[in-house]
Amino acid sequence: MIVVMKRDATEVHLDALVARLEGRGCRAHISKGEEHTIVGVIGDVRALDREQIERMAGVERTMSVLRPFKLAGRAFQPEDTVVDVNGVKIGGDCVVVMAGPCAVESRKQVLETAHAVKEAGARILRGGAFKPRSSPYSFQGLGEEGLKILAEAREQTGLPIVTEVMDPQLVPLVATYTDILQIGARSMQNYALLHAVGEIHKPVLLKRGMMSTIEELLMAAEYILSHDNEDVLLCERGIRTFEPYTRNTLDLSAVPLLQQLSHLPVIVDPSHGTGKWELVAPLSRAAVAAGADGLIIEVHPRPEEALSDGAQSLKPKRFAELMHTIDPIAAAIGKSL
Ligand code: PEP
Ligand code: MN
């Protein structure tokens, strides 16, 4: 249920309402908009007398929320969430590009890539230190050593970093190095992990599971939000379909759809979404045209030598060319890079 306050409602009215809700075992989520303050009620609303609440001073009306996601939904918070990552604002008028290698392979590889993507206009550096690989025999990442390399790259370039965490127990360690915690597609419904990142006060990039619906993605976000971490970025990275020519099918309708249903920023990953570097530029442009709040793109100085995802990685020069071509597209829909 949500409670819409009157325009002239005061803090005293709001406090009285919150006390009433909490007294019935519910929690209140307050969203102060330009016109109205909206109070989202979480918990068992059957314990509440709706008519009584509607008679309280400062209350305009109550409404039922039919969607299963509450904190992630527009009803609870009509205004867009803007996530601030060390001064880089995601979810506003900018298209924030995150770029870097799939995996941290060496200090040289990461530093070289970090400087190149920064030069081209990327605002955040990506790189995996703990890699979720389909085969246990594939390169699994450098672990903490990789996190240290990413931190050094941040020091040299000033770019905040995003890196994946797979194990709930490693969340505190990864959080000491990174600026954004990435939850990979394979972990989207690892509820212990969602709980753990929900308790950390760092932004989370939540990737859509390869076999997950939009609603399942939003319910995964709801887990993080309900543990009091408000800074969640949703990421469309392609879903499994019957089409074998691409690694996944990038679902670009997810961008406007998620933005309609949720106030959270939406990021698109055209690298995992296609699996082919030739398709990354056109789909990056399409994602920006569709209104994405950001892109996350794999870049490697020598893709043919990459220890993971070389086939979908752009060389730095191609990445720089891509950045030039998305600039006017962002401008055409009132955004900037
Ligand atoms: C990645 O970002 O390198 C990655 C493993 O992505 P996903 O979880 O979307 O497969
Ligand atoms: Mn990858």
Side-chain angles (χ1 to χ4, degrees):
M1 182 172 89
I2 67 174
V3 184
V4 182
M5 303 301 286
K6 288 183 176 151
R7 274 169 191 263
D8 60 359
T10 64
E11 286 300 315
V12 175
H13 296 150
L14 197 57
D15 289 348
L17 174 68
V18 172
R20 170 77 61 96
L21 300 173
E22 290 180 351
R24 298 285 190 283
C26 292
R27 263 171 61 206
H29 175 270
I30 298 166
S31 167
K32 291 191 176 166
E34 273 169 27
E35 303 260 309
H36 290 275
T37 293
I38 286 175
V39 181
V41 186
I42 305 151
D44 189 357
V45 293
R46 287 172 305 181
L48 300 169
D49 183 333
R50 230 164 124 160
E51 283 176 16
Q52 237 176 39
I53 289 175
E54 284 179 341
R55 282 198 298 274
M56 289 182 78
V59 171
E60 187 172 289
R61 62 184 190 278
T62 62
M63 284 157 54
S64 300
V65 180
L66 300 174
R67 309 261 187 217
F69 44 88
K70 313 282 179 205
L71 298 170
R74 282 272 181 204
F76 266 39
Q77 185 186 314
E79 280 82 26
D80 290 343
T81 284
V82 177
V83 174
D84 189 326
V85 186
N86 297 355
V88 178
K89 294 196 169 49
I90 310 177
D93 294 334
C94 283
V95 178
V96 173
V97 179
M98 313 178 189
C102 175
V104 174
E105 298 167 3
S106 69
R107 183 172 174 273
K108 179 172 177 287
Q109 169 237 17
V110 169
L111 295 179
E112 193 179 340
T113 314
H115 286 285
V117 299
K118 178 176 178 169
E119 180 77 11
R123 311 278 305 281
I124 292 175
L125 175 67
R126 65 146 289 148
F130 296 93
K131 294 303 302 175
R133 304 306 301 277
S134 306
S135 164
Y137 310 118
S138 301
F139 176 60
Q140 304 285 309
L142 296 181
E144 189 171 0
E145 182 53 33
L147 298 176
K148 287 183 180 157
I149 294 172
L150 287 169
E152 186 183 350
R154 171 180 50 208
E155 218 165 278
Q156 287 196 15
T157 60
L159 295 177
I161 54 184
V162 53
T163 197
E164 177 162 356
V165 58
M166 296 193 289
D167 179 344
Q169 291 187 335
L170 289 180
V171 168
L173 173 85
V174 178
T176 60
Y177 290 97
T178 196
D179 302 291
I180 305 176
L181 292 152
Q182 177 174 324
I183 302 295
R186 292 156 192 80
S187 300
M188 190 202 84
Q189 287 180 314
N190 179 338
Y191 299 113
L193 185 59
L194 299 177
H195 183 153
V197 297
E199 311 245 283
I200 296 271
H201 289 283
K202 285 246 160 129
V204 176
L205 176 78
L206 176 65
K207 299 189 94 177
R208 179 179 180 182
M210 59 188 87
M211 285 164 285
S212 299
T213 63
I214 295 284
E215 191 160 293
E216 285 163 343
L217 171 61
L218 289 169
M219 292 311 288
E222 194 77 13
Y223 266 89
I224 302 171
L225 299 169
S226 67
H227 285 285
D228 258 6
N229 186 343
E230 297 185 346
D231 292 333
V232 178
L233 308 166
L234 304 170
C235 180
E236 164 57 39
R237 47 76 74 206
I239 48 175
R240 279 222 166 136
T241 66
F242 49 80
E243 177 52 65
Y245 274 93
T246 44
R247 180 176 179 182
N248 292 289
T249 296
L250 188 66
D251 177 12
L252 282 182
S253 62
V255 177
L257 187 54
L258 285 168
Q259 288 172 337
Q260 214 175 73
L261 296 170
S262 174
H263 50 84
L264 298 171
V266 180
I267 311 298
V268 171
D269 175 347
S271 307
H272 294 87
T274 61
K276 293 189 164 157
W277 71 263
E278 300 96 318
L279 302 186
V280 169
L283 283 166
S284 298
R285 293 191 281 266
V288 172
D293 297 293
L295 298 170
I296 180 162
I297 298 175
E298 289 187 339
V299 177
H300 194 292
R302 289 163 294 280
E304 60 289 353
E305 292 171 19
L307 297 180
S308 67
D309 289 350
Q312 66 193 37
S313 299
L314 294 182
K315 290 181 179 162
K317 189 166 166 281
R318 288 215 166 89
F319 173 70
E321 285 161 8
L322 165 62
M323 292 295 279
H324 282 297
T325 68
I326 53 182
D327 209 7
I329 298 171
I333 57 159
K335 294 194 179 195
S336 59
L337 279 192

